[in-house]
Amino acid sequence: MIVLTPDEQDALARLGERQRRLRRNAVLLSENDRLSELFVLKEGMMMSYVLLDDGRRQILRFIFPGDVLATPALAYTRSPETLMALTDIVVCPFDRSVMATMFATTPRLAAAIMALDQAERVAMTDRLAAIGRTSAKARVAALLLEIRDRLRTGDRRIGNCFVLGITQEEIGDATGLTAVHVNRMLRQLEEEGMIGRGGGRVTLLNEARLVRTANYIDRHAAIDLGWLPALA
């Protein structure tokens, strides 16, 4: 990550000046809603999804504290996705014109925000590509690793045991599987000694083997912001 100047710190703090609280399962934005604001997720967990023509839901990504969401507002006037709260959440809305000001006054910070958003898109691309090229077990294993790694981004105390925070149906909607198939894959991962489950928590018992099974790449660990201008 990068060291921020005082001006960049002030600009980042201004993104969180307004706060909105939503309850679990509340929809922040629906597909095709008019877009005028972006948001920073301050507390809780969210997901982004689209509805397919046959009524099925495809979850695109899970959203964690610190993430900027509704970034399509920078290119479109209507939302291409639905944003829903998976837990009680706090979001900080800001007008998209704020990003224009940021590009003019703190361009290094704006570039960093856009780069981090691209890392999210790459991770989403990995998961969507895996739906067509990997086994069901690999998809579920990769999602478990991704969620653990994203949680650790906000809390480095998290080790190999974590609260999953999503249902088997939601895992299925993210990986192109039925909830029944997800349950079968989770049991298989348990039986093979790669994970343990209990009390709503998942424990990675053999992380190296799980990574190999999933063919998983931690996209956030690989982020390179070294190209950004150095501090003056």
Side-chain angles (χ1 to χ4, degrees), residues 34-96:
R34 288 198 64 84
L35 284 171
S36 61
E37 293 180 316
L38 286 75
F39 305 84
V40 176
L41 180 59
K42 184 175 182 181
E43 297 177 13
M45 184 175 172
M46 300 182 69
M47 67 178 176
S48 155
Y49 68 85
V50 295
L51 293 178
L52 307 179
D53 290 342
D54 60 5
R56 289 180 300 166
R57 180 178 66 181
Q58 177 62 57
I59 294 177
L60 303 174
R61 67 177 180 132
F62 296 102
I63 303 163
F64 299 86
D67 286 351
V68 178
L69 46 151
T71 52
L74 300 177
Y76 301 104
T77 58
R78 294 194 177 274
S79 178
E81 60 192 355
T82 295
L83 299 173
M84 192 182 90
L86 288 168
T87 64
D88 292 352
I89 63 168
V90 177
V91 293
C92 302
F94 60 94
D95 192 84
R96 59 184 176 182

Side-chain angles (χ1 to χ4, degrees), residues 13-199:
R14 283 195 294 273
L15 299 185
E17 287 179 343
R18 295 163 53 204
Q19 294 187 9
R20 184 185 306 172
R21 295 182 178 273
L22 294 174
R23 303 292 291 179
R24 181 177 181 271
N25 294 327
V27 171
L28 176 64
L29 273 177
S30 293
E31 201 170 341
N32 295 316
D33 279 355
R34 288 198 64 84
L35 284 171
S36 61
E37 293 180 316
L38 286 75
F39 305 84
V40 176
L41 180 59
K42 184 175 182 181
E43 297 177 13
M45 184 175 172
M46 300 182 69
M47 67 178 176
S48 155
Y49 68 85
V50 295
L51 293 178
L52 307 179
D53 290 342
D54 60 5
R56 289 180 300 166
R57 180 178 66 181
Q58 177 62 57
I59 294 177
L60 303 174
R61 67 177 180 132
F62 296 102
I63 303 163
F64 299 86
D67 286 351
V68 178
L69 46 151
T71 52
L74 300 177
Y76 301 104
T77 58
R78 294 194 177 274
S79 178
E81 60 192 355
T82 295
L83 299 173
M84 192 182 90
L86 288 168
T87 64
D88 292 352
I89 63 168
V90 177
V91 293
C92 302
F94 60 94
D95 192 84
R96 59 184 176 182
S97 64
V98 172
M99 285 301 299
T101 300
M102 190 177 291
F103 274 109
T105 59
T106 53
R108 198 175 72 116
L109 175 60
I113 291 173
M114 292 297 97
L116 294 174
D117 183 67
Q118 286 306 302
E120 287 297 321
R121 296 296 167 181
V122 170
M124 178 182 72
T125 300
D126 285 346
R127 189 175 342 101
L128 296 183
I131 291 175
R133 74 182 185 190
T134 65
S135 69
K137 183 167 69 172
R139 294 179 227 169
V140 173
L143 186 59
L144 295 178
L145 287 161
E146 179 185 348
I147 290 175
R148 192 286 306 268
D149 289 343
R150 289 306 322 278
L151 290 170
R152 287 187 71 182
T153 299
D155 185 354
R156 299 307 299 178
R157 296 172 298 177
I158 293 175
N160 288 337
C161 185
F162 61 99
V163 176
L164 184 57
I166 58 175
T167 66
Q168 292 183 12
E169 180 182 3
E170 288 157 353
I171 294 174
D173 287 347
T175 56
L177 302 169
T178 65
V180 172
H181 206 167
V182 169
N183 182 267
R184 190 179 305 128
M185 293 303 100
L186 288 170
R187 282 192 282 109
Q188 189 172 338
L189 291 170
E190 277 189 291
E191 290 165 1
E192 294 177 4
M194 285 186 266
I195 68 168
R197 290 186 295 164

